[in-house]
Amino acid sequence: MSTLQVEDLLKELTEEGQLQSTGRFTVDLSRAKEKLAQYQFQDPFCYILKLVQAAVAARADGFILQSGTTELVATLVGASFTPHELENLLYYLLQDAGTEVTASAALRHLAVAVNAAVGTRASEIVLKSWDGHSGVQVSWTRGGQRSAPWQPTLPQVQTRFQMRRVAGDMLSDVYQKVASRDLFSMMTGSRQGMDREQGLIYDRCAFCPIPIKINSKDCPGYDLGAPADVGLLANLVGRILGSESVNPKHHLFELYYPGQALAGPRKTFTRWAGNRTPEANYSAILALPARLTGHTLVIPVLDGVSLQVQRLEWPGPPAIFYVDAQGLDLDLTGLSLVRNEKALQRFGQYAQALIDAGQTYLSSPVAIRRGQQKDRLETALRQGRDQPVTFLG
């Protein structure tokens, strides 16, 4: 069984493409391979994150992953694409600058996923989509691209990504699983027993606003912060001496912005959570850990996937910002934030909102009342007022 190559994605493409019935555009096929290389990942298995993003951007009802040694199947439940869109999928990445034909965010995520998945040494990639009335199956092998009608056994609206793995890699993967993972975790589905695709989703899709299943098990959400007490004895001594005894991972307060981009936490341990509604989604969550040291961290989330963590420098209290990356500039892959003034302006607004929330928190009945921790927080709030934020490193 031979490995699928980037050239195989290009075999059926022509110099003239048609993405909409209203017009055509041209592509430079001599530069096509070079252009597709711009959408590759350092870790090609990140293609699975693009499938999650496609599901969220397409407003799917859920995402189901079944990943095994020989085959991987990812289903975007409740989302469909037209035959025309899937048959011309790669054109969305190849069209020349200035063309009027644009792809939806979901289609671009899907196109990047197919392009990147080739780097995992797949032998075949198949996209199937059913809109409730008709469907299409588009496949890529060493023979090129092929298309045919398709209907699922259960006629539910869906889009399905299937990838078959190269035979030699299958045996290698079996050996690595047995050598590096205990048999119990492989059978129960714990994080330790996950393959690369499963692990990426587990690690980077905790904020996903749609439900995810990994090999028939629910992908867990997340808890925000940690319990305040570091231990009964330490807490008692701390109260007697008036010193700090709060778990540094505990959040003194959190501020929630209503929206749809981020799933809320299963549980939060803070006693002051502004605007939080159980089981709601949010556009941003600002949290202030009790440690009050270090740098402010930003975790951008785009279409259900956490992007690279950013560190900020500013004189205010070191916080954690979980934010929707929609509207910010990203690289071509859609998994890395562009560090520019637009991003700093957004983060600066959150920083000042944190200052205001901190002042409100200090006047609340649950606020810290005395000690060095309170003094440090008041000083940091004062120093951070109206001060800009900058990227660190």
Side-chain angles (χ1 to χ4, degrees), residues 202-203 205-209 219-225 251 254 256 261-269 276 280-282 284-285 287 301 306 322:
Y202 187 95
D203 293 339
C205 297
F207 297 95
C208 189
C219 184
Y222 65 100
D223 296 337
L224 212 54
H251 292 170
E254 295 162 358
Y256 292 76
L262 284 70
R266 297 174 303 182
K267 180 190 299 183
T268 177
F269 298 93
R276 179 174 183 260
N281 293 339
Y282 304 95
I285 303 173
V301 178
S306 301
Y322 306 90

Side-chain angles (χ1 to χ4, degrees), residues 63-68 71-75 160-163:
F63 183 89
I64 300 174
L65 176 67
Q66 285 295 135
S67 178
E71 185 179 47
L72 176 142
V73 179
T75 305
R160 191 181 299 176
F161 172 98
Q162 292 180 235
M163 184 176 71

Side-chain angles (χ1 to χ4, degrees), residues 1-3 69 121 123 164-173:
M1 193 180 297
S2 54
T3 305
T69 301
R121 293 178 54 78
S123 63
R164 293 183 176 86
R165 308 181 193 273
V166 173
D169 290 348
M170 296 175 194
L171 296 176
S172 175
D173 189 52

Side-chain angles (χ1 to χ4, degrees), residues 94-244:
L94 294 173
Q95 57 187 304
D96 295 329
T99 180
E100 295 181 358
V101 180
T102 57
S104 67
L107 274 172
R108 286 191 65 83
H109 289 319
L110 194 59
V112 174
V114 170
N115 178 58
V118 172
T120 67
R121 293 178 54 78
S123 63
E124 181 181 21
I125 293 175
V126 183
L127 281 178
K128 302 176 180 180
S129 193
W130 174 262
D131 65 6
H133 304 284
S134 62
V136 65
Q137 169 180 306
V138 180
S139 60
W140 290 270
T141 65
R142 289 305 306 270
Q145 177 180 318
R146 297 291 181 269
S147 179
W150 177 71
Q151 180 175 344
T153 304
L154 297 176
Q156 177 184 29
V157 176
Q158 61 182 278
T159 295
R160 191 181 299 176
F161 172 98
Q162 292 180 235
M163 184 176 71
R164 293 183 176 86
R165 308 181 193 273
V166 173
D169 290 348
M170 296 175 194
L171 296 176
S172 175
D173 189 52
V174 169
Y175 174 79
Q176 290 178 6
K177 284 181 179 179
V178 175
S180 64
R181 308 172 200 170
D182 62 273
L183 185 61
F184 179 77
S185 66
M186 290 171 61
M187 295 174 61
T188 60
S190 70
R191 175 64 181 87
Q192 184 180 351
M194 291 183 174
D195 63 23
R196 295 173 74 174
E197 286 99 339
Q198 296 168 16
L200 280 166
I201 289 181
Y202 187 95
D203 293 339
R204 297 185 59 177
C205 297
F207 297 95
C208 189
I210 64 174
I212 294 177
K213 283 189 177 293
I214 303 176
N215 285 21
S216 302
K217 294 184 179 294
D218 292 332
C219 184
Y222 65 100
D223 296 337
L224 212 54
D229 295 341
V230 296
L232 181 60
L233 180 59
N235 205 23
L236 178 60
V237 173
R239 289 181 180 179
I240 294 174
L241 301 178
S243 60
E244 301 173 47

